[in-house]
Every structure is written in structure tokens, then in C-alpha cells.
Coordinates of all heavy atoms in Angstrom, one line a residue:
M1 N -8.0 -12.4 5.3 CA -7.6 -11.1 4.8 C -7.5 -10.1 5.9 O -8.4 -10.0 6.8 CB -8.7 -10.6 3.8 CG -8.4 -9.3 3.1 SD -9.5 -9.1 1.8 CE -9.1 -7.5 1.3
A2 N -6.4 -9.4 6.0 CA -6.2 -8.5 7.1 C -7.0 -7.2 7.0 O -7.2 -6.7 5.9 CB -4.7 -8.1 7.2
T3 N -7.4 -6.6 8.1 CA -8.1 -5.4 8.1 C -7.2 -4.3 8.7 O -6.1 -4.5 9.2 CB -9.3 -5.5 9.0 OG1 -8.9 -5.6 10.4 CG2 -10.2 -6.6 8.6
I4 N -7.7 -3.0 8.5 CA -6.9 -1.9 9.0 C -6.7 -2.0 10.5 O -5.7 -1.6 11.1 CB -7.6 -0.6 8.6 CG1 -6.6 0.6 8.8 CG2 -8.9 -0.4 9.3 CD1 -7.1 1.9 8.2
K5 N -7.7 -2.6 11.2 CA -7.6 -2.8 12.7 C -6.5 -3.8 13.0 O -5.8 -3.6 14.0 CB -8.9 -3.3 13.2 CG -10.0 -2.3 13.2 CD -11.3 -2.8 13.8 CE -12.4 -1.8 13.7 NZ -13.7 -2.2 14.2
D6 N -6.3 -4.8 12.2 CA -5.2 -5.8 12.4 C -3.9 -5.1 12.3 O -3.0 -5.4 13.1 CB -5.3 -7.0 11.4 CG -6.6 -7.8 11.6 OD1 -7.2 -7.8 12.7 OD2 -7.1 -8.3 10.6
V7 N -3.8 -4.3 11.3 CA -2.5 -3.5 11.1 C -2.2 -2.6 12.2 O -1.1 -2.6 12.7 CB -2.6 -2.7 9.7 CG1 -1.3 -1.9 9.6 CG2 -2.7 -3.7 8.5
A8 N -3.2 -1.9 12.7 CA -3.1 -1.0 13.8 C -2.6 -1.7 15.1 O -1.7 -1.3 15.8 CB -4.4 -0.2 14.1
R9 N -3.3 -2.9 15.3 CA -2.9 -3.7 16.5 C -1.5 -4.1 16.5 O -0.7 -4.0 17.4 CB -3.9 -4.9 16.6 CG -3.8 -5.6 17.9 CD -4.8 -6.7 18.0 NE -6.2 -6.3 17.7 CZ -6.9 -6.7 16.6 NH1 -6.3 -7.6 15.8 NH2 -8.1 -6.3 16.4
L10 N -1.1 -4.7 15.3 CA 0.3 -5.2 15.2 C 1.3 -4.1 15.2 O 2.4 -4.2 15.8 CB 0.4 -6.0 13.9 CG 1.8 -6.7 13.6 CD1 2.1 -7.7 14.7 CD2 1.8 -7.3 12.2
A11 N 1.0 -2.9 14.7 CA 2.0 -1.8 14.7 C 2.0 -1.0 16.0 O 2.9 -0.3 16.3 CB 1.6 -0.8 13.5
G12 N 0.9 -1.3 16.8 CA 0.9 -0.6 18.1 C 0.5 0.9 18.0 O 0.9 1.7 18.8
V13 N -0.3 1.2 17.0 CA -0.8 2.5 16.8 C -2.4 2.5 16.6 O -3.0 1.4 16.6 CB -0.2 3.2 15.6 CG1 1.3 3.4 15.8 CG2 -0.4 2.5 14.3
S14 N -3.0 3.6 16.5 CA -4.4 3.7 16.4 C -4.8 3.5 14.9 O -4.0 3.6 14.0 CB -5.0 5.0 16.8 OG -4.6 6.1 16.0
V15 N -6.1 3.1 14.7 CA -6.6 3.0 13.3 C -6.5 4.3 12.6 O -6.2 4.3 11.4 CB -8.1 2.5 13.4 CG1 -8.7 2.5 12.0 CG2 -8.1 1.1 14.0
S16 N -6.7 5.4 13.2 CA -6.6 6.7 12.5 C -5.2 7.0 12.1 O -5.0 7.6 11.0 CB -7.2 7.8 13.4 OG -6.4 8.0 14.6
T17 N -4.2 6.5 12.8 CA -2.8 6.7 12.4 C -2.6 5.9 11.1 O -1.9 6.4 10.2 CB -1.8 6.3 13.5 OG1 -2.1 7.1 14.6 CG2 -0.4 6.5 13.0
I18 N -3.1 4.7 11.1 CA -2.9 3.8 9.9 C -3.6 4.5 8.7 O -3.1 4.6 7.6 CB -3.5 2.4 10.1 CG1 -2.8 1.7 11.3 CG2 -3.4 1.6 8.8 CD1 -1.3 1.5 11.1
S19 N -4.8 5.0 8.9 CA -5.6 5.7 7.9 C -4.8 6.9 7.3 O -4.7 7.1 6.1 CB -6.9 6.1 8.4 OG -7.6 6.8 7.4
K20 N -4.2 7.7 8.2 CA -3.4 8.8 7.8 C -2.2 8.4 7.0 O -1.9 9.0 5.9 CB -2.9 9.6 9.0 CG -3.9 10.5 9.7 CD -3.3 11.2 10.9 CE -4.3 11.8 11.7 NZ -3.7 12.4 12.9
Y21 N -1.6 7.3 7.4 CA -0.4 6.8 6.6 C -0.8 6.3 5.2 O -0.2 6.7 4.3 CB 0.2 5.6 7.4 CG 1.3 4.9 6.6 CD1 2.6 5.4 6.6 CD2 1.0 3.7 5.9 CE1 3.6 4.7 5.9 CE2 2.0 3.1 5.2 CZ 3.3 3.6 5.2 OH 4.3 3.0 4.5
L22 N -1.9 5.6 5.1 CA -2.4 5.1 3.9 C -2.9 6.2 2.9 O -2.8 6.1 1.7 CB -3.5 4.1 4.0 CG -3.2 2.8 4.8 CD1 -4.4 2.0 5.1 CD2 -2.2 2.0 3.9
N23 N -3.3 7.3 3.5 CA -3.9 8.4 2.7 C -2.9 9.6 2.5 O -3.2 10.6 2.0 CB -5.2 8.9 3.3 CG -6.3 7.9 3.1 OD1 -6.5 7.4 2.1 ND2 -6.9 7.5 4.2
G24 N -1.6 9.3 2.9 CA -0.6 10.3 2.7 C -0.5 11.4 3.7 O 0.1 12.5 3.5
G25 N -1.1 11.2 4.9 CA -1.1 12.3 5.9 C 0.2 12.2 6.7 O 1.1 11.4 6.5
N26 N 0.3 13.2 7.6 CA 1.6 13.3 8.4 C 1.4 12.4 9.7 O 0.4 12.5 10.4 CB 1.8 14.8 8.9 CG 2.1 15.6 7.7 OD1 2.8 15.2 6.8 ND2 1.7 16.9 7.7
I27 N 2.4 11.6 9.9 CA 2.4 10.8 11.1 C 3.8 10.9 11.7 O 4.8 11.3 11.0 CB 2.1 9.3 10.9 CG1 3.0 8.7 9.9 CG2 0.6 9.2 10.4 CD1 2.8 7.2 9.8
R28 N 4.0 10.5 13.0 CA 5.3 10.6 13.6 C 6.3 9.7 12.9 O 6.0 8.5 12.6 CB 5.1 10.2 15.1 CG 4.3 11.1 15.9 CD 4.2 10.7 17.3 NE 3.4 11.6 18.1 CZ 2.9 11.3 19.2 NH1 3.1 10.2 19.8 NH2 2.2 12.2 19.9
P29 N 7.5 10.2 12.8 CA 8.6 9.4 12.1 C 8.8 8.0 12.8 O 9.1 7.0 12.1 CB 9.8 10.2 12.2 CG 9.3 11.6 12.4 CD 8.0 11.5 13.1
E30 N 8.7 7.9 14.1 CA 8.9 6.7 14.8 C 7.8 5.6 14.5 O 8.0 4.4 14.8 CB 9.1 6.9 16.3 CG 7.8 7.4 17.0 CD 7.8 9.0 17.1 OE1 8.6 9.6 16.4 OE2 7.0 9.4 18.0
N31 N 6.7 6.1 14.0 CA 5.6 5.1 13.6 C 5.7 4.5 12.2 O 5.1 3.6 11.9 CB 4.3 5.8 13.8 CG 3.9 6.0 15.3 OD1 4.4 5.4 16.1 ND2 3.1 7.0 15.5
L32 N 6.6 5.1 11.4 CA 6.7 4.7 10.0 C 7.1 3.3 9.9 O 6.4 2.5 9.2 CB 7.6 5.6 9.2 CG 7.1 7.0 8.9 CD1 8.3 7.8 8.3 CD2 5.9 7.0 8.0
E33 N 8.2 2.9 10.5 CA 8.7 1.5 10.4 C 7.8 0.5 10.9 O 7.5 -0.5 10.2 CB 10.1 1.4 11.0 CG 10.9 0.2 10.6 CD 11.2 0.2 9.1 OE1 11.4 1.2 8.5 OE2 11.3 -1.0 8.6
P34 N 7.2 0.6 12.1 CA 6.2 -0.4 12.6 C 5.0 -0.5 11.7 O 4.5 -1.7 11.5 CB 5.8 0.1 14.0 CG 6.9 1.0 14.4 CD 7.5 1.6 13.1
I35 N 4.6 0.6 11.1 CA 3.4 0.5 10.2 C 3.8 -0.3 8.9 O 3.1 -1.2 8.5 CB 2.9 1.9 9.9 CG1 2.2 2.5 11.1 CG2 1.9 1.8 8.7 CD1 1.9 4.0 11.0
R36 N 4.9 0.1 8.3 CA 5.4 -0.6 7.1 C 5.5 -2.1 7.4 O 5.1 -2.9 6.6 CB 6.7 0.0 6.6 CG 6.5 1.4 6.0 CD 7.8 1.9 5.4 NE 7.7 3.3 5.1 CZ 8.6 4.2 5.4 NH1 9.7 3.9 6.1 NH2 8.4 5.5 5.1
N37 N 6.2 -2.4 8.5 CA 6.4 -3.8 8.8 C 5.1 -4.6 9.0 O 4.9 -5.7 8.5 CB 7.2 -4.0 10.1 CG 8.7 -3.5 9.9 OD1 9.1 -3.5 8.7 ND2 9.4 -3.2 10.9
A38 N 4.1 -4.0 9.7 CA 2.8 -4.6 9.9 C 2.1 -4.8 8.6 O 1.5 -5.9 8.3 CB 2.0 -3.8 10.8
I39 N 2.1 -3.9 7.7 CA 1.5 -4.0 6.4 C 2.1 -5.1 5.6 O 1.4 -5.9 5.0 CB 1.6 -2.7 5.6 CG1 0.6 -1.6 6.2 CG2 1.2 -2.8 4.1 CD1 0.8 -0.2 5.7
V40 N 3.4 -5.2 5.6 CA 4.1 -6.3 4.8 C 3.8 -7.6 5.5 O 3.5 -8.6 4.8 CB 5.6 -6.0 4.8 CG1 6.4 -7.2 4.3 CG2 5.9 -4.8 3.9
Q41 N 3.9 -7.7 6.8 CA 3.7 -9.0 7.5 C 2.3 -9.5 7.3 O 2.1 -10.7 7.1 CB 4.0 -8.8 9.0 CG 4.0 -10.1 9.8 CD 4.3 -9.9 11.3 OE1 4.9 -8.8 11.6 NE2 4.0 -10.8 12.1
L42 N 1.3 -8.6 7.3 CA -0.1 -9.1 7.2 C -0.5 -9.1 5.7 O -1.6 -9.6 5.5 CB -1.0 -8.2 8.0 CG -0.8 -8.2 9.5 CD1 -1.6 -7.1 10.2 CD2 -1.2 -9.5 10.1
D43 N 0.3 -8.7 4.8 CA 0.0 -8.6 3.4 C -1.3 -7.8 3.2 O -2.2 -8.2 2.5 CB -0.1 -10.0 2.8 CG -0.2 -9.9 1.3 OD1 0.4 -9.0 0.7 OD2 -0.8 -10.8 0.7
Y44 N -1.4 -6.6 3.9 CA -2.6 -5.8 3.9 C -2.7 -5.1 2.6 O -1.8 -4.6 2.0 CB -2.5 -4.7 5.1 CG -3.6 -3.8 5.0 CD1 -4.9 -4.1 5.4 CD2 -3.5 -2.5 4.5 CE1 -6.0 -3.2 5.4 CE2 -4.5 -1.6 4.4 CZ -5.7 -2.0 4.8 OH -6.8 -1.1 4.8
R45 N -3.9 -5.1 2.1 CA -4.3 -4.3 0.9 C -5.6 -3.6 1.2 O -6.5 -4.2 1.7 CB -4.5 -5.2 -0.3 CG -3.2 -6.0 -0.6 CD -3.4 -6.8 -1.9 NE -2.4 -7.8 -2.1 CZ -1.1 -7.6 -2.3 NH1 -0.6 -6.4 -2.4 NH2 -0.3 -8.7 -2.5
A46 N -5.6 -2.3 0.9 CA -6.8 -1.5 1.1 C -8.0 -2.1 0.2 O -7.7 -2.4 -0.9 CB -6.6 -0.1 0.8
N47 N -9.2 -2.2 0.8 CA -10.3 -2.6 0.1 C -11.0 -1.5 -0.6 O -11.6 -0.6 0.1 CB -11.3 -3.3 1.0 CG -12.5 -3.9 0.3 OD1 -12.9 -3.5 -0.7 ND2 -13.0 -5.0 0.9
P48 N -11.0 -1.4 -1.9 CA -11.5 -0.2 -2.6 C -13.1 -0.1 -2.4 O -13.6 1.0 -2.4 CB -11.2 -0.4 -4.1 CG -10.9 -1.8 -4.2 CD -10.4 -2.3 -2.9
F49 N -13.7 -1.2 -2.2 CA -15.2 -1.2 -2.0 C -15.5 -0.6 -0.6 O -16.4 0.2 -0.5 CB -15.8 -2.5 -2.2 CG -15.6 -3.0 -3.6 CD1 -14.8 -4.1 -3.9 CD2 -16.2 -2.4 -4.7 CE1 -14.6 -4.5 -5.2 CE2 -16.1 -2.8 -6.0 CZ -15.2 -3.9 -6.3
A50 N -14.8 -1.0 0.4 CA -15.0 -0.5 1.7 C -14.6 1.0 1.8 O -15.3 1.8 2.4 CB -14.1 -1.3 2.7
R51 N -13.6 1.3 1.1 CA -13.2 2.8 1.0 C -14.3 3.6 0.4 O -14.6 4.7 0.8 CB -11.9 2.9 0.3 CG -11.3 4.3 0.2 CD -10.0 4.3 -0.4 NE -9.0 3.9 0.6 CZ -7.7 4.0 0.4 NH1 -7.2 4.4 -0.7 NH2 -6.9 3.6 1.4
G52 N -14.9 3.0 -0.7 CA -16.0 3.7 -1.4 C -17.2 3.9 -0.5 O -17.8 5.0 -0.5
L53 N -17.5 2.9 0.3 CA -18.6 3.0 1.2 C -18.4 4.1 2.2 O -19.3 4.9 2.6 CB -18.9 1.7 1.9 CG -19.5 0.6 1.0 CD1 -19.5 -0.7 1.8 CD2 -20.9 0.9 0.6
K54 N -17.2 4.1 2.8 CA -16.9 5.1 3.8 C -16.9 6.5 3.2 O -17.4 7.5 3.9 CB -15.5 4.8 4.4 CG -15.1 5.7 5.5 CD -15.9 5.4 6.8 CE -15.3 6.2 7.9 NZ -16.1 6.1 9.1
A55 N -16.3 6.7 2.1 CA -16.2 8.0 1.4 C -17.4 8.4 0.7 O -17.5 9.6 0.2 CB -15.0 8.0 0.5
N56 N -18.4 7.5 0.5 CA -19.6 7.7 -0.2 C -19.3 8.0 -1.7 O -20.0 8.8 -2.4 CB -20.4 8.8 0.4 CG -21.9 8.7 0.0 OD1 -22.4 7.7 -0.3 ND2 -22.6 9.8 0.1
R57 N -18.2 7.5 -2.2 CA -17.8 7.5 -3.6 C -17.2 6.2 -4.0 O -16.2 5.8 -3.3 CB -16.8 8.7 -3.8 CG -17.3 10.0 -3.7 CD -16.3 11.1 -4.1 NE -14.9 10.6 -4.2 CZ -13.9 11.3 -3.9 NH1 -14.0 12.5 -3.5 NH2 -12.7 10.8 -4.0
S58 N -17.7 5.6 -5.1 CA -17.1 4.3 -5.4 C -16.0 4.4 -6.4 O -15.2 3.4 -6.5 CB -18.3 3.5 -6.1 OG -18.6 4.0 -7.3
R59 N -15.8 5.5 -7.1 CA -14.7 5.6 -8.1 C -14.9 4.4 -9.1 O -13.9 3.9 -9.7 CB -13.4 5.7 -7.5 CG -13.2 6.9 -6.6 CD -11.9 7.2 -6.1 NE -10.9 7.6 -7.1 CZ -10.7 8.8 -7.6 NH1 -11.5 9.8 -7.2 NH2 -9.8 9.1 -8.5
S60 N -16.1 4.0 -9.4 CA -16.4 3.0 -10.4 C -17.3 3.6 -11.5 O -18.1 4.5 -11.2 CB -17.3 1.9 -9.8 OG -16.5 1.3 -8.7
I61 N -17.0 3.2 -12.7 CA -17.8 3.6 -13.9 C -18.3 2.4 -14.6 O -17.5 1.5 -14.9 CB -16.9 4.5 -14.8 CG1 -16.5 5.8 -14.0 CG2 -17.6 4.8 -16.1 CD1 -15.6 6.7 -14.8
G62 N -19.6 2.4 -14.8 CA -20.2 1.3 -15.6 C -20.1 1.6 -17.1 O -20.3 2.8 -17.5
I63 N -19.8 0.6 -17.8 CA -19.8 0.7 -19.3 C -20.8 -0.2 -19.9 O -20.8 -1.4 -19.7 CB -18.4 0.4 -19.8 CG1 -17.3 1.2 -19.2 CG2 -18.3 0.5 -21.3 CD1 -15.9 0.8 -19.5
L64 N -21.7 0.4 -20.7 CA -22.8 -0.4 -21.3 C -22.4 -0.5 -22.8 O -22.1 0.6 -23.5 CB -24.1 0.3 -21.2 CG -24.6 0.4 -19.7 CD1 -25.9 1.2 -19.7 CD2 -24.8 -1.0 -19.1
L65 N -22.5 -1.6 -23.4 CA -22.2 -1.9 -24.8 C -23.3 -2.5 -25.5 O -24.0 -3.4 -24.9 CB -20.9 -2.8 -24.9 CG -19.7 -2.3 -24.2 CD1 -18.6 -3.4 -24.3 CD2 -19.2 -1.0 -24.9
P66 N -23.6 -2.2 -26.8 CA -24.6 -2.9 -27.5 C -24.3 -4.3 -27.8 O -25.3 -5.2 -27.8 CB -24.8 -2.1 -28.8 CG -23.5 -1.4 -28.9 CD -22.9 -1.2 -27.6
T67 N -23.1 -4.7 -27.9 CA -22.7 -6.1 -28.1 C -21.2 -6.3 -27.7 O -20.4 -5.3 -27.7 CB -22.8 -6.5 -29.6 OG1 -22.4 -7.8 -29.7 CG2 -22.0 -5.6 -30.5
M68 N -20.9 -7.5 -27.2 CA -19.6 -7.8 -26.8 C -18.8 -8.5 -27.9 O -17.6 -8.7 -27.8 CB -19.6 -8.7 -25.6 CG -20.0 -8.0 -24.3 SD -18.8 -6.8 -23.8 CE -17.5 -7.8 -23.3
T69 N -19.5 -8.8 -29.0 CA -18.8 -9.6 -30.1 C -18.0 -8.8 -31.1 O -17.1 -9.3 -31.7 CB -19.9 -10.4 -30.8 OG1 -20.9 -9.6 -31.4 CG2 -20.6 -11.4 -29.9
A70 N -18.4 -7.5 -31.2 CA -17.6 -6.7 -32.2 C -16.2 -6.3 -31.6 O -16.1 -5.8 -30.5 CB -18.4 -5.4 -32.4
P71 N -15.2 -6.6 -32.4 CA -13.8 -6.3 -32.0 C -13.6 -4.8 -31.6 O -12.8 -4.5 -30.7 CB -12.9 -6.7 -33.1 CG -13.8 -7.5 -34.0 CD -15.2 -7.2 -33.7
F72 N -14.3 -3.9 -32.3 CA -14.2 -2.5 -32.0 C -14.4 -2.2 -30.5 O -13.7 -1.4 -29.9 CB -15.2 -1.7 -32.9 CG -15.2 -0.3 -32.5 CD1 -14.2 0.6 -32.9 CD2 -16.3 0.2 -31.9 CE1 -14.3 2.0 -32.5 CE2 -16.4 1.6 -31.5 CZ -15.4 2.5 -31.9
F73 N -15.5 -2.7 -30.0 CA -15.8 -2.4 -28.6 C -14.8 -2.9 -27.6 O -14.5 -2.3 -26.6 CB -17.2 -2.9 -28.2 CG -18.3 -2.2 -29.0 CD1 -19.1 -3.0 -29.8 CD2 -18.5 -0.9 -28.8 CE1 -20.1 -2.3 -30.5 CE2 -19.5 -0.2 -29.5 CZ -20.4 -1.0 -30.3
G74 N -14.2 -4.0 -27.9 CA -13.1 -4.6 -27.0 C -11.9 -3.6 -27.0 O -11.3 -3.4 -25.9
T75 N -11.6 -3.0 -28.1 CA -10.5 -2.1 -28.2 C -10.8 -0.8 -27.4 O -10.0 -0.3 -26.7 CB -10.2 -1.7 -29.7 OG1 -9.9 -2.9 -30.4 CG2 -9.0 -0.8 -29.8
V76 N -12.0 -0.3 -27.6 CA -12.4 0.9 -26.9 C -12.4 0.7 -25.4 O -11.9 1.5 -24.6 CB -13.8 1.3 -27.4 CG1 -14.4 2.5 -26.5 CG2 -13.8 1.8 -28.8
V77 N -13.0 -0.4 -24.9 CA -13.1 -0.7 -23.5 C -11.7 -0.9 -22.9 O -11.4 -0.4 -21.8 CB -14.0 -1.9 -23.2 CG1 -13.9 -2.4 -21.8 CG2 -15.4 -1.6 -23.6
T78 N -10.8 -1.6 -23.6 CA -9.4 -1.7 -23.1 C -8.7 -0.4 -23.0 O -8.1 -0.1 -21.9 CB -8.6 -2.6 -24.1 OG1 -9.3 -3.9 -24.2 CG2 -7.2 -2.8 -23.6
A79 N -8.9 0.5 -23.9 CA -8.2 1.8 -23.8 C -8.9 2.6 -22.7 O -8.2 3.3 -22.0 CB -8.4 2.5 -25.2
L80 N -10.2 2.6 -22.6 CA -10.9 3.3 -21.6 C -10.5 2.8 -20.2 O -10.2 3.6 -19.3 CB -12.4 3.2 -21.8 CG -13.3 3.9 -20.8 CD1 -13.1 5.4 -20.8 CD2 -14.8 3.6 -21.1
D81 N -10.4 1.5 -20.0 CA -10.1 1.0 -18.8 C -8.7 1.4 -18.3 O -8.4 1.7 -17.2 CB -10.2 -0.6 -18.8 CG -10.0 -1.2 -17.5 OD1 -10.8 -0.9 -16.5 OD2 -9.1 -2.0 -17.3
K82 N -7.7 1.5 -19.3 CA -6.4 1.9 -19.0 C -6.3 3.3 -18.5 O -5.7 3.6 -17.4 CB -5.5 1.8 -20.2 CG -4.1 2.2 -20.0 CD -3.3 2.0 -21.3 CE -1.8 2.4 -21.1 NZ -1.5 3.8 -21.4
V83 N -7.1 4.2 -19.1 CA -7.1 5.6 -18.7 C -7.8 5.7 -17.3 O -7.4 6.5 -16.5 CB -7.8 6.5 -19.7 CG1 -8.1 7.9 -19.2 CG2 -7.0 6.5 -21.0
L84 N -8.9 5.0 -17.1 CA -9.6 5.0 -15.8 C -8.7 4.6 -14.7 O -8.6 5.2 -13.7 CB -10.8 4.1 -15.9 CG -12.0 4.7 -16.7 CD1 -13.1 3.6 -16.8 CD2 -12.5 5.9 -16.2
R85 N -8.0 3.5 -14.9 CA -7.1 3.0 -13.8 C -5.9 3.9 -13.5 O -5.5 4.1 -12.4 CB -6.5 1.6 -14.2 CG -7.6 0.5 -14.2 CD -7.0 -0.8 -14.4 NE -8.0 -1.8 -14.5 CZ -8.6 -2.4 -13.4 NH1 -8.2 -2.1 -12.2 NH2 -9.5 -3.3 -13.6
E86 N -5.4 4.6 -14.5 CA -4.4 5.6 -14.3 C -4.8 6.8 -13.5 O -4.0 7.4 -12.8 CB -3.8 6.1 -15.7 CG -3.0 5.1 -16.4 CD -2.7 5.6 -17.9 OE1 -3.2 6.7 -18.3 OE2 -2.0 4.9 -18.6
N87 N -6.2 7.0 -13.5 CA -6.7 8.1 -12.7 C -7.5 7.7 -11.5 O -8.3 8.4 -10.9 CB -7.6 8.9 -13.6 CG -6.8 9.7 -14.7 OD1 -6.2 10.7 -14.4 ND2 -6.8 9.2 -15.9
G88 N -7.3 6.4 -11.0 CA -7.8 6.0 -9.8 C -9.3 5.4 -9.8 O -9.9 5.3 -8.8
Y89 N -9.7 5.1 -11.0 CA -11.1 4.6 -11.2 C -11.0 3.2 -11.7 O -10.0 2.7 -12.2 CB -11.9 5.4 -12.2 CG -12.3 6.8 -11.7 CD1 -11.4 7.9 -11.8 CD2 -13.5 7.0 -11.2 CE1 -11.8 9.1 -11.3 CE2 -13.9 8.3 -10.7 CZ -13.0 9.3 -10.8 OH -13.4 10.5 -10.3
H90 N -12.1 2.5 -11.7 CA -12.2 1.2 -12.3 C -13.5 1.0 -13.0 O -14.5 1.7 -12.7 CB -11.9 0.0 -11.3 CG -12.9 -0.1 -10.3 ND1 -12.9 0.6 -9.1 CD2 -14.0 -0.9 -10.2 CE1 -13.9 0.3 -8.3 NE2 -14.6 -0.7 -8.9
S91 N -13.6 0.2 -14.0 CA -14.8 0.0 -14.8 C -15.5 -1.3 -14.5 O -14.9 -2.2 -14.0 CB -14.4 0.1 -16.3 OG -13.5 -1.0 -16.6
M92 N -16.8 -1.3 -14.8 CA -17.6 -2.4 -14.6 C -18.4 -2.7 -15.9 O -18.8 -1.8 -16.5 CB -18.6 -2.3 -13.5 CG -18.0 -2.1 -12.1 SD -19.1 -2.2 -10.8 CE -20.2 -0.8 -11.1

């Protein structure tokens, strides 16, 4: 699994430049294509757990249920999970 350091090395830029790119910051136009190519070539995907550790926010929500056998709770959890994912969170 590729890391942000691997992407930076392949693109020929700093780790902070890759971080800015991934988080929507401003970077030099001439760096866009090498960064995109490195991400595709390495099949880089940001690790949400590592990001949560760095930001001190996990964006995770735990869901406790009295039982998993009732169909009602499955419907509720499915709907809740959909809304959470649309807003950048995930459930456990």
C-alpha cells in the first residue's frame, strides 16, 4: 500500500505539497499533472484512520443496538450509515 511519502517521491514534490493537493489547497499548476500521475500509478488512497490520528478527529460514530435480529434496526442503521457517509463520517 502506497503512502503519501511514496507519492511525493514519485511526483518529485514535498509531502506537504501532496497534502495540500489532497485537501484542496493551492499548489503550482506545473505540479498538478505529476501528482495526479503518481496517485494513479501507485493506486494511492488516503487512509482515514491515519488522517484521524493526525487531525485528532476520527469522523467515526459508534452505533449501539439492543439486538441485531430485529429487521427494524437493520433499516435504521442502513439509512443512518448512508447519511453519515454523505457527510464524511463512517459508522461502527
Side-chain angles (χ1 to χ4, degrees):
M1 184 169 175
T3 66
I4 194 169
K5 290 180 183 180
D6 298 329
V7 174
R9 191 176 310 112
L10 184 61
V13 296
S14 69
V15 172
S16 63
T17 301
I18 301 297
S19 179
K20 285 180 191 176
Y21 174 82
L22 294 172
N23 292 305
N26 293 327
I27 61 169
R28 294 181 180 163
E30 63 267 16
N31 290 336
L32 289 174
E33 195 63 31
I35 292 172
R36 287 184 191 132
N37 290 339
I39 289 172
V40 169
Q41 184 176 345
L42 294 172
D43 193 28
Y44 174 77
R45 299 186 199 288
N47 184 329
F49 297 111
R51 184 175 278 189
L53 288 172
K54 182 72 173 176
N56 204 20
R57 289 189 342 213
S58 68
R59 299 191 65 86
S60 299
I61 296 180
I63 302 172
L64 298 175
L65 303 173
T67 180
M68 289 293 293
T69 58
F72 170 75
F73 292 119
T75 304
V76 170
V77 170
T78 300
L80 180 60
D81 189 57
K82 180 179 183 269
V83 172
L84 289 172
R85 289 185 186 278
E86 289 171 355
N87 290 285
Y89 288 83
H90 64 275
S91 61
M92 296 191 296

